[in-house]
Structures are given as structure tokens and as C-alpha cells.
Amino acid sequence: GDSVTQMEGPVTLSEEAFLTINCTYTATGYPSLFWYVQYPGEGLQLLLKATKADDKGSNKGFEATYRKETTSFHLEKGSVQVSDSAVYFCALGTNAGKSTFGDGTTLTVKP
Amino acid sequence: EAGVVQSPRYKIIEKKQPVAFWCNPISGHNTLYWYLQNLGQGPELLIRYENEEAVDDSQLPKDRFSAERLKGVDSTLKIQPAELGDSAVYLCASSLEGRGQETQYFGPGTRLLVL
């Protein structure tokens, strides 16, 4: 079946550091890929997405590129802020409407 | 635009008691999802509705869990009887038509503790 594997956390960085959170997937066909973010006390919300190979999703300084050859969708940000502290979930969605989420990576950014 | 609304936000019950969770999706969203989220894990689908029809309930433990979506809008998820292992966060989400490339919009969740 479909699966999503995320880099295990927690990840602790200093402000302005470079962030990478790895995500790889297994799926039949050509899924859409997502990064959702969950801030403390809130529900999951979409951070960015890509719907086909080589697409780059971007939002709030975060980027991820849909790499079909490596079945990956790594999340990156060049300079993190304290306000980026949250749990980040990688997910895929298939044409049949099925969604699969990774286990989440907790990011803490220290001033 | 109002987001996905869930209630209650927190619930503490004793094992073997029944419990129900309510969800109001974003207006106009045809697809509604109920997820289970255990601590330190990602959401796992329990059931997906397209309008009133449950199109994927393969992961719903039907011996104790039930759900309904009357009139294709609000939905209720019920557990009867609750077990200790049911302690988790129950998330509701909605999307326009349930296609794989669509964004899902999540509610804040209901945190259940079974004692």
C-alpha cells in the first residue's frame, strides 16, 4: 500500500539556520504531494503542495520539489524563524482520493 | 470564511461509556473525512464521505465505531463502548470534491481521554 516516511524528529535549530526535513513516499500511479503544518493548539493546515513530477511548491519561504526519480518531496527553508516552530507532516493524495500522512517532524527554533 | 468546526474540543470518559464527536465542514465542501491521530503519529483515515455516502470506511472499527453524515453537511462520529486504546485526537477535515490533488482543511480536533 501507499506509505510516507519522514525524517524522525525532533529537530532543533537556531534562528536563521537552514532547514531540511526529508520525506520519501511509496505509491502506485502519480500521487499529489503535500506538506501540512500544525502549530501548537491548532489543526493541520496546508503549507505547500505539488501535483506532478518536477513541480515545486512554495509558501512562506518554504520549498519542496516533487522528485519522481527518487520518490521524494523534501521540505527546505533557507532561514528559519522562531515562529516556524511546529509539527510538519508530509502527505500524499492519490487519484482515487486516498490520503496517507507521515508521522510528523517536530521543529523547534531557538532565538 | 469559517473553517471546519469540531466539538467538543476535549472529552474525558470512563471505559465502556459511549462518546460522540461532531463536525461541521466548510460550506460547499462535498467531501468529509474523519481521522484518528495517536500521539507522535500522523492522521489515519477512519472514514471518508462524499456527500451522504461513505465511500471509504475500510479502516473504521465497525464493532464499536459508527458515523453518519445526514443531509451531506454535518457529521457525527460515535464510539460505543469506548476502550482505553481509543484515547487519541479525532480530526475532521473537508475538501471540495475529494480528489487526490485537493487541499484538505482540518478542524482543531477533539482530544479524547478514556480512563
Side-chain angles (χ1 to χ4, degrees), chain A residues 1-5 24-29 31 92 94 98-101, chain B residues 59:
Chain A
D2 302 334
S3 67
V4 175
T5 302
T24 57
Y25 68 90
T26 302
T28 53
L92 66 84
T94 70
K98 285 187 174 292
S99 297
T100 303
F101 290 78
Chain B
Q59 301 304 310

PDB file of all heavy atoms in Angstrom, chain A residues 1-5 24-29 31 92 94 98-101, chain B residues 59:
ATOM      1  N   GLY A   1       0.821  -1.196   0.000  1.00  0.00           N
ATOM      2  CA  GLY A   1       0.000   0.000   0.000  1.00  0.00           C
ATOM      3  C   GLY A   1       0.856   1.246   0.000  1.00  0.00           C
ATOM      4  O   GLY A   1       2.071   1.209   0.046  1.00  0.00           O
ATOM      5  N   ASP A   2       0.176   2.380  -0.054  1.00  0.00           N
ATOM      6  CA  ASP A   2       0.866   3.669  -0.048  1.00  0.00           C
ATOM      7  C   ASP A   2       1.502   3.934   1.304  1.00  0.00           C
ATOM      8  O   ASP A   2       0.968   3.538   2.347  1.00  0.00           O
ATOM      9  CB  ASP A   2      -0.130   4.779  -0.367  1.00  0.00           C
ATOM     10  CG  ASP A   2      -0.815   4.581  -1.706  1.00  0.00           C
ATOM     11  OD1 ASP A   2      -0.229   3.932  -2.580  1.00  0.00           O
ATOM     12  OD2 ASP A   2      -1.955   5.082  -1.855  1.00  0.00           O
ATOM     13  N   SER A   3       2.622   4.631   1.289  1.00  0.00           N
ATOM     14  CA  SER A   3       3.263   4.993   2.552  1.00  0.00           C
ATOM     15  C   SER A   3       4.076   6.263   2.392  1.00  0.00           C
ATOM     16  O   SER A   3       4.493   6.612   1.288  1.00  0.00           O
ATOM     17  CB  SER A   3       4.164   3.862   3.064  1.00  0.00           C
ATOM     18  OG  SER A   3       5.268   3.676   2.210  1.00  0.00           O
ATOM     19  N   VAL A   4       4.287   6.946   3.508  1.00  0.00           N
ATOM     20  CA  VAL A   4       5.097   8.158   3.565  1.00  0.00           C
ATOM     21  C   VAL A   4       6.057   8.018   4.733  1.00  0.00           C
ATOM     22  O   VAL A   4       5.635   7.706   5.853  1.00  0.00           O
ATOM     23  CB  VAL A   4       4.222   9.410   3.752  1.00  0.00           C
ATOM     24  CG1 VAL A   4       5.084  10.639   3.941  1.00  0.00           C
ATOM     25  CG2 VAL A   4       3.291   9.599   2.560  1.00  0.00           C
ATOM     26  N   THR A   5       7.326   8.254   4.476  1.00  0.00           N
ATOM     27  CA  THR A   5       8.350   8.163   5.514  1.00  0.00           C
ATOM     28  C   THR A   5       9.013   9.521   5.672  1.00  0.00           C
ATOM     29  O   THR A   5       9.544  10.080   4.710  1.00  0.00           O
ATOM     30  CB  THR A   5       9.418   7.117   5.158  1.00  0.00           C
ATOM     31  OG1 THR A   5       8.776   5.855   4.966  1.00  0.00           O
ATOM     32  CG2 THR A   5      10.437   6.997   6.280  1.00  0.00           C
ATOM     33  N   THR A  24      10.102  10.755   1.906  1.00  0.00           N
ATOM     34  CA  THR A  24      10.037   9.860   0.761  1.00  0.00           C
ATOM     35  C   THR A  24       8.702   9.129   0.789  1.00  0.00           C
ATOM     36  O   THR A  24       8.082   8.989   1.840  1.00  0.00           O
ATOM     37  CB  THR A  24      11.187   8.838   0.760  1.00  0.00           C
ATOM     38  OG1 THR A  24      11.152   8.099   1.984  1.00  0.00           O
ATOM     39  CG2 THR A  24      12.534   9.520   0.619  1.00  0.00           C
ATOM     40  N   TYR A  25       8.277   8.667  -0.363  1.00  0.00           N
ATOM     41  CA  TYR A  25       6.953   8.047  -0.431  1.00  0.00           C
ATOM     42  C   TYR A  25       6.987   6.795  -1.292  1.00  0.00           C
ATOM     43  O   TYR A  25       7.888   6.599  -2.114  1.00  0.00           O
ATOM     44  CB  TYR A  25       5.930   9.045  -0.995  1.00  0.00           C
ATOM     45  CG  TYR A  25       6.147   9.381  -2.456  1.00  0.00           C
ATOM     46  CD1 TYR A  25       5.542   8.643  -3.468  1.00  0.00           C
ATOM     47  CD2 TYR A  25       6.989  10.426  -2.822  1.00  0.00           C
ATOM     48  CE1 TYR A  25       5.771   8.929  -4.802  1.00  0.00           C
ATOM     49  CE2 TYR A  25       7.225  10.730  -4.148  1.00  0.00           C
ATOM     50  CZ  TYR A  25       6.617   9.970  -5.137  1.00  0.00           C
ATOM     51  OH  TYR A  25       6.847  10.264  -6.453  1.00  0.00           O
ATOM     52  N   THR A  26       5.976   5.980  -1.099  1.00  0.00           N
ATOM     53  CA  THR A  26       5.714   4.820  -1.940  1.00  0.00           C
ATOM     54  C   THR A  26       4.256   4.878  -2.339  1.00  0.00           C
ATOM     55  O   THR A  26       3.378   4.999  -1.474  1.00  0.00           O
ATOM     56  CB  THR A  26       5.973   3.502  -1.180  1.00  0.00           C
ATOM     57  OG1 THR A  26       7.319   3.484  -0.722  1.00  0.00           O
ATOM     58  CG2 THR A  26       5.738   2.301  -2.079  1.00  0.00           C
ATOM     59  N   ALA A  27       4.001   4.846  -3.634  1.00  0.00           N
ATOM     60  CA  ALA A  27       2.614   4.892  -4.105  1.00  0.00           C
ATOM     61  C   ALA A  27       2.541   4.347  -5.512  1.00  0.00           C
ATOM     62  O   ALA A  27       3.503   4.442  -6.274  1.00  0.00           O
ATOM     63  CB  ALA A  27       2.085   6.326  -4.066  1.00  0.00           C
ATOM     64  N   THR A  28       1.400   3.801  -5.854  1.00  0.00           N
ATOM     65  CA  THR A  28       1.158   3.406  -7.241  1.00  0.00           C
ATOM     66  C   THR A  28       0.639   4.633  -7.979  1.00  0.00           C
ATOM     67  O   THR A  28      -0.019   5.510  -7.403  1.00  0.00           O
ATOM     68  CB  THR A  28       0.126   2.284  -7.319  1.00  0.00           C
ATOM     69  OG1 THR A  28      -1.045   2.679  -6.607  1.00  0.00           O
ATOM     70  CG2 THR A  28       0.671   1.012  -6.695  1.00  0.00           C
ATOM     71  N   GLY A  29       0.959   4.721  -9.242  1.00  0.00           N
ATOM     72  CA  GLY A  29       0.481   5.846 -10.018  1.00  0.00           C
ATOM     73  C   GLY A  29       1.254   7.122  -9.720  1.00  0.00           C
ATOM     74  O   GLY A  29       2.413   7.097  -9.332  1.00  0.00           O
ATOM     75  N   PRO A  31       0.838  10.265  -7.444  1.00  0.00           N
ATOM     76  CA  PRO A  31       0.100  10.985  -6.411  1.00  0.00           C
ATOM     77  C   PRO A  31       0.431  12.472  -6.400  1.00  0.00           C
ATOM     78  O   PRO A  31       1.430  12.898  -7.001  1.00  0.00           O
ATOM     79  CB  PRO A  31       0.600  10.334  -5.120  1.00  0.00           C
ATOM     80  CG  PRO A  31       2.005   9.921  -5.452  1.00  0.00           C
ATOM     81  CD  PRO A  31       1.952   9.478  -6.900  1.00  0.00           C
ATOM     82  N   LEU A  92       0.611  12.309   0.949  1.00  0.00           N
ATOM     83  CA  LEU A  92       0.308  12.110  -0.463  1.00  0.00           C
ATOM     84  C   LEU A  92      -1.181  11.886  -0.644  1.00  0.00           C
ATOM     85  O   LEU A  92      -1.881  11.417   0.262  1.00  0.00           O
ATOM     86  CB  LEU A  92       1.110  10.951  -1.047  1.00  0.00           C
ATOM     87  CG  LEU A  92       0.855   9.516  -0.566  1.00  0.00           C
ATOM     88  CD1 LEU A  92      -0.324   8.867  -1.310  1.00  0.00           C
ATOM     89  CD2 LEU A  92       2.101   8.657  -0.796  1.00  0.00           C
ATOM     90  N   THR A  94      -3.885  10.268  -3.654  1.00  0.00           N
ATOM     91  CA  THR A  94      -3.968   9.546  -4.918  1.00  0.00           C
ATOM     92  C   THR A  94      -5.180   9.974  -5.727  1.00  0.00           C
ATOM     93  O   THR A  94      -6.094  10.627  -5.214  1.00  0.00           O
ATOM     94  CB  THR A  94      -4.042   8.038  -4.679  1.00  0.00           C
ATOM     95  OG1 THR A  94      -5.328   7.737  -4.097  1.00  0.00           O
ATOM     96  CG2 THR A  94      -2.942   7.562  -3.753  1.00  0.00           C
ATOM     97  N   LYS A  98      -7.508   8.751  -1.949  1.00  0.00           N
ATOM     98  CA  LYS A  98      -6.928   8.280  -0.692  1.00  0.00           C
ATOM     99  C   LYS A  98      -5.759   9.157  -0.275  1.00  0.00           C
ATOM    100  O   LYS A  98      -4.949   9.566  -1.102  1.00  0.00           O
ATOM    101  CB  LYS A  98      -6.442   6.833  -0.848  1.00  0.00           C
ATOM    102  CG  LYS A  98      -7.557   5.810  -0.876  1.00  0.00           C
ATOM    103  CD  LYS A  98      -7.000   4.408  -0.872  1.00  0.00           C
ATOM    104  CE  LYS A  98      -8.099   3.370  -0.754  1.00  0.00           C
ATOM    105  NZ  LYS A  98      -8.743   3.419   0.578  1.00  0.00           N
ATOM    106  N   SER A  99      -5.671   9.424   1.027  1.00  0.00           N
ATOM    107  CA  SER A  99      -4.587  10.238   1.570  1.00  0.00           C
ATOM    108  C   SER A  99      -3.794   9.422   2.576  1.00  0.00           C
ATOM    109  O   SER A  99      -4.366   8.653   3.344  1.00  0.00           O
ATOM    110  CB  SER A  99      -5.148  11.473   2.270  1.00  0.00           C
ATOM    111  OG  SER A  99      -5.841  12.296   1.356  1.00  0.00           O
ATOM    112  N   THR A 100      -2.468   9.611   2.549  1.00  0.00           N
ATOM    113  CA  THR A 100      -1.584   8.957   3.510  1.00  0.00           C
ATOM    114  C   THR A 100      -0.644  10.008   4.072  1.00  0.00           C
ATOM    115  O   THR A 100      -0.067  10.788   3.309  1.00  0.00           O
ATOM    116  CB  THR A 100      -0.773   7.835   2.834  1.00  0.00           C
ATOM    117  OG1 THR A 100      -1.675   6.901   2.235  1.00  0.00           O
ATOM    118  CG2 THR A 100       0.095   7.115   3.856  1.00  0.00           C
ATOM    119  N   PHE A 101      -0.520  10.022   5.400  1.00  0.00           N
ATOM    120  CA  PHE A 101       0.314  11.006   6.082  1.00  0.00           C
ATOM    121  C   PHE A 101       1.529  10.349   6.706  1.00  0.00           C
ATOM    122  O   PHE A 101       1.464   9.190   7.153  1.00  0.00           O
ATOM    123  CB  PHE A 101      -0.484  11.705   7.194  1.00  0.00           C
ATOM    124  CG  PHE A 101      -1.548  12.631   6.694  1.00  0.00           C
ATOM    125  CD1 PHE A 101      -2.757  12.147   6.233  1.00  0.00           C
ATOM    126  CD2 PHE A 101      -1.342  14.007   6.685  1.00  0.00           C
ATOM    127  CE1 PHE A 101      -3.743  13.000   5.754  1.00  0.00           C
ATOM    128  CE2 PHE A 101      -2.315  14.867   6.216  1.00  0.00           C
ATOM    129  CZ  PHE A 101      -3.514  14.365   5.749  1.00  0.00           C
TER     130      PHE A 101
ATOM    131  N   GLN B  59     -11.167   1.346   7.207  1.00  0.00           N
ATOM    132  CA  GLN B  59     -10.368   1.386   8.431  1.00  0.00           C
ATOM    133  C   GLN B  59     -11.201   1.712   9.663  1.00  0.00           C
ATOM    134  O   GLN B  59     -10.634   1.888  10.743  1.00  0.00           O
ATOM    135  CB  GLN B  59      -9.248   2.422   8.274  1.00  0.00           C
ATOM    136  CG  GLN B  59      -8.303   2.133   7.112  1.00  0.00           C
ATOM    137  CD  GLN B  59      -7.686   0.755   7.208  1.00  0.00           C
ATOM    138  OE1 GLN B  59      -7.154   0.367   8.243  1.00  0.00           O
ATOM    139  NE2 GLN B  59      -7.769  -0.006   6.123  1.00  0.00           N
TER     140      GLN B  59
END
